[in-house]
Amino acid sequence: MSSRPALHFDADAPQLARELIGALLLVDGVGGLIVETEAYAMDDPASHSHGGPRPRNRSMFGPPAHAYVYRSYGIHWCLNVVCREAGHGAAVLIRALQPTHGVALMRQRRGTENERLLCAGPGRVAQALGITQAHDGLPLDQPPFELRPPDHPVEVVTDVRIGISKAVELPWRFGLAGSRFVSRPFPRETTGA
DNA sequence: CGACGGATCCTCT
DNA sequence: GAGGATCCGTCGT
């Protein structure tokens, strides 16, 4: 399947997750091309929004095209793009980037020289881009964020989501076909395009 | 009020 | 492949 060069923040999470593959994500000019995402919906036992709004997940129920940032395992920050409409509790987790802008700074923040591992995983993405709870709820179309759709259609592959224990069968992980910057390989690199 | 467990990452084997 | 680090929202008693 090919995703078209447009970002529909009012779409449901799986569609936006697909559209975000190949998009450019920057924070203060640092970042890269999105190569891996996951979709989370309200009627989705694996989603933080499952069960309705709470203080912790309030950004997930806020306006679309804004950030939902949460702390993972008490250590890492992870960035989501809120979608649909306010109240739906749908979002797309940014799982991996192909580093393109500010690589030296990302290396410094991450403490590694391995470019393949700079942004390969949601915690690594946040660390490389300097994302913290301070970014929770901020609009992604304004500084310090910059989010631009892909320049051209890209080939997207899918798989089940990673690290969850509920709704494990949903094929809601999306990746850029053939990318070496994903957090984990996709089982099949062929799609119908 | 105590316990649990997670949309993870790193190190060591 | 396994286990530890380390925070805090959520839930059970």
Side-chain angles (χ1 to χ4, degrees), chain A residues 29-157:
Chain A
V30 175
L33 300 171
I34 299 173
V35 297
E36 183 182 346
T37 61
E38 278 180 356
Y40 288 90
M42 181 162 63
D43 293 330
D44 171 5
S47 175
H48 291 171
S49 60
H50 188 249
R54 297 177 159 287
R56 178 198 180 204
N57 62 15
R58 66 195 181 285
S59 295
M60 261 190 108
F61 292 89
H66 284 230
Y68 164 51
V69 179
Y70 71 94
R71 206 205 257 296
S72 178
Y73 289 87
I75 301 174
H76 311 286
W77 297 106
C78 298
L79 172 69
N80 290 256
V81 178
V82 177
C83 63
R84 295 207 67 177
E85 303 167 25
H88 279 265
V92 176
L93 174 67
I94 305 301
R95 286 196 57 91
L97 306 181
Q98 174 181 337
T100 60
H101 291 60
V103 173
L105 181 53
M106 289 194 282
R107 273 203 242 266
Q108 184 180 332
R109 285 168 171 165
R110 292 267 305 112
T112 180
E113 292 297 312
N114 190 334
E115 191 162 325
R116 187 178 63 82
L117 297 177
L118 274 189
C119 304
R124 290 164 172 165
V125 169
Q127 186 180 22
L129 273 59
I131 295 170
T132 69
Q133 182 147 53
H135 297 89
D136 185 42
L138 295 183
L140 295 171
D141 61 350
Q142 296 173 32
F145 287 101
E146 189 172 345
L147 182 56
R148 296 212 301 265
D151 295 313
H152 53 82
V154 296
E155 187 180 358
V156 176
V157 291

Side-chain angles (χ1 to χ4, degrees), chain A residues 3-4 6-20 38-42 60 62-66 81-92 172 174:
Chain A
S3 74
R4 310 199 52 146
L7 299 177
H8 298 98
F9 294 104
D10 58 341
D12 62 22
Q15 179 177 333
L16 181 63
R18 180 180 291 272
E19 291 179 354
L20 282 170
E38 278 180 356
Y40 288 90
M42 181 162 63
M60 261 190 108
H66 284 230
V81 178
V82 177
C83 63
R84 295 207 67 177
E85 303 167 25
H88 279 265
V92 176
W172 281 4
F174 300 85

